[in-house]
Amino acid sequence: GPKLAPMFALRPATAEDAPFLVSLERRLMEGHARALWGGFVPAEISAFDLSNTRILTIGTATVGYLMVERAEDHLRLRKIYLAPEHQGRGLGKALLARVRGEAAQAGKPLRLSVLRPNTRALAFYLREGMIAVEETEERIFMEDPQPMSRKA
């Protein structure tokens, strides 16, 4: 049957979280970046990024993070990053459901993009019902086809 995600909590990111954000991004994205661009340059974590980031914890362990930007006409899911040892446990699905709920509450569509080499993420979003709306050589842009408000 469907796996139940372990109990998790989300908290706002602070400047102290920056090293964790940078190191997890490197673990997850370095291979994809090298495949696309031949190298990996760690992202600078801005105050703006921190303000849009929530840290995922299970008990005392910090296991991932969520970055969501609120544009005027949509919500953009920038990152759902989970440490590899915590992937495949239903956490990504639970986090996506959380963000979808926030988009519905705001009455705005949910959008995201996936790097082409990241076939696992692409498969995950397609399985969860996101649809590809535009493609470039580097990225696949996706949107949640669900109506913006779940209320009739």
Side-chain angles (χ1 to χ4, degrees):
K3 278 184 287 236
L4 279 178
M7 289 294 294
F8 66 88
L10 288 167
R11 63 166 175 81
T14 67
E16 285 79 67
D17 293 307
F20 168 74
L21 302 182
V22 171
S23 72
L24 183 58
E25 179 155 78
R26 176 180 287 278
R27 276 183 80 188
L28 296 177
M29 301 305 290
E30 186 167 19
H32 304 314
R34 288 193 188 285
L36 262 182
W37 302 300
F40 175 78
V41 180
E44 294 284 313
I45 306 285
S46 68
F48 173 73
D49 290 336
L50 281 177
S51 72
N52 289 314
T53 299
R54 283 165 282 174
I55 303 292
L56 177 72
T57 58
I58 295 175
T60 56
T62 304
V63 301
Y65 65 98
L66 185 60
M67 190 185 292
V68 180
E69 286 174 17
R70 292 167 185 274
E72 217 162 284
D73 63 340
H74 67 277
L75 253 65
R76 184 161 296 276
L77 176 55
R78 285 276 172 213
K79 299 171 182 176
I80 288 185
Y81 284 173
L82 291 171
E85 58 275 19
H86 290 280
Q87 293 176 10
R89 301 171 65 194
L91 284 166
K93 191 181 175 97
L95 290 172
L96 181 60
R98 171 84 56 106
V99 177
R100 279 178 143 156
E102 291 169 6
Q105 217 164 14
K108 295 175 181 179
L110 179 63
R111 297 181 184 149
L112 61 94
S113 68
V114 175
L115 291 182
R116 273 195 182 279
N118 195 354
T119 50
R120 183 170 176 177
L122 180 61
F124 164 75
Y125 289 120
L126 289 171
R127 201 165 59 234
E128 291 301 317
M130 305 288 291
I131 54 168
V133 290
E134 192 192 329
E135 302 191 12
T136 66
E137 281 181 33
E138 297 181 348
R139 294 173 198 274
I140 297 165
F141 293 85
M142 309 187 83
E143 198 165 300
D144 190 347
Q146 314 223 5
M148 289 183 290
S149 172
R150 302 252 154 67
K151 296 187 262 302

